[in-house]
Amino acid sequence: MTSPQCCINPSILSADFVSLRTELERIGNADAVHVDVMDNHFVPNLTLGLPVVQRIQQVSPIPVDAHLMIADADRWAPAYADAGLASVTFHVEAATAPIKLARELRARGAKAGMALRPATAVEPYLDMLPELDMLLIMTVEPGFGGQSFLDIMLPKIRRTRALIERHGLQMWLQVDGGVSAETIERCAEAGADVFVAGSAVYGADDPAAAVKALREQAASACAH
Ligand code: DX5
Ligand code: ZN
């Protein structure tokens, strides 16, 4: 069943890292802040790690949604749940025991999310979907903000939404990468209900206005 509301989760990857607290306040009307953790192993980029995420959790006016683009997720992800984050998303390609890990995240009080790189199919994971609160379909190769949206991910979003409906699952379907005023409606029509936007929000003169506009676009497209 479709979740009642579309969520806009801006990514602070495109924010000013020296002024994170102010940057968080600029998106106070968003549903959650999306924090991209990269380790220069799973992806060829390096951002921030647990100590910074713990501080973000302490000062953020809105829930924190961590996206872990890190190797050996089984080992490192549980500590992010311990930090009190609303949701922790690991990449299935970086996890050895994704079912065990999802259960651990939930047991530590976080919503459990699992991300799929563009070339990773959802179908092999059908049986474990009930273990998850959120599935993240990457619409760019993970690693960098500001990339072009991959249109060829739309059928995968559609198929995943159909699987969620068919099995009566209660879970969010998040899209991340190249989501903007130009692409968000297509994502919503295909069945996504949580939208990560980095450059489209922090590249705008007024990030809060960009959040509001994206939410309205998504909501009208979801309703179709
Ligand atoms: C990319 C990150 C995204 C990124 C999105 O690997 O996971 O969250 O910040 O940035 P935009 O919206 O600019 O594509
Ligand atoms: Zn992300």
Side-chain angles (χ1 to χ4, degrees):
M1 59 203 73
T2 310
S3 308
Q5 195 202 330
C6 288
C7 294
I8 306 295
N9 295 8
S11 163
I12 52 158
L13 190 58
S14 299
D16 178 358
F17 273 23
V18 180
S19 314
L20 279 181
R21 190 195 290 248
T22 317
E23 293 289 68
L24 289 166
E25 284 158 6
R26 292 173 82 203
I27 55 156
N29 64 332
D31 296 279
V33 58
H34 182 87
V35 178
D36 290 302
V37 177
M38 305 188 193
D39 67 350
N40 191 33
H41 289 278
F42 180 70
V43 289
N45 196 5
L46 185 66
T47 54
L48 40 78
L50 185 59
V52 179
V53 176
Q54 285 169 329
R55 271 303 282 153
I56 290 172
Q57 167 65 24
Q58 285 168 5
V59 305
S60 177
I62 55 176
V64 179
D65 164 40
H67 176 193
L68 306 182
M69 285 160 277
I70 59 174
D72 201 358
D74 309 70
R75 177 172 175 192
W76 301 111
Y80 287 84
D82 288 340
L85 310 188
S87 59
V88 177
T89 297
F90 61 89
H91 268 268
V92 69
E93 305 89 353
T96 304
I99 297 171
K100 179 168 175 273
L101 180 53
R103 289 182 180 181
E104 259 187 75
L105 296 175
R106 280 179 161 177
R108 290 164 193 246
K111 301 260 189 254
M114 190 171 84
L116 308 178
R117 296 183 81 128
T120 303
V122 64
E123 284 79 4
Y125 303 102
L126 174 59
D127 288 341
M128 74 163 288
L129 294 184
E131 305 285 341
L132 301 169
D133 300 291
M134 184 160 73
L135 194 70
L136 165 50
I137 293 185
M138 291 301 301
T139 42
V140 297
E141 281 299 339
F144 299 92
Q147 301 181 74
S148 299
F149 179 78
L150 292 172
D151 290 87
I152 60 162
M153 291 299 108
L154 289 166
K156 183 168 156 186
I157 299 167
R158 230 171 262 125
R159 286 200 312 277
T160 307
R161 170 55 62 194
L163 286 174
I164 291 171
E165 302 275 337
R166 191 176 323 136
H167 296 274
L169 301 170
Q170 284 273 12
M171 66 190 306
W172 299 105
L173 183 50
Q174 185 177 75
V175 285
D176 181 9
V179 176
S180 67
E182 286 70 47
T183 57
I184 195 167
E185 287 169 354
R186 276 179 280 158
C187 294
E189 278 161 8
D193 53 12
V194 182
F195 305 88
V196 176
S199 42
V201 170
Y202 278 108
D205 291 337
D206 182 346
V211 167
K212 184 166 178 282
L214 286 170
R215 191 185 280 122
E216 283 167 5
Q217 273 189 289
S220 63
C222 275
H224 291 159

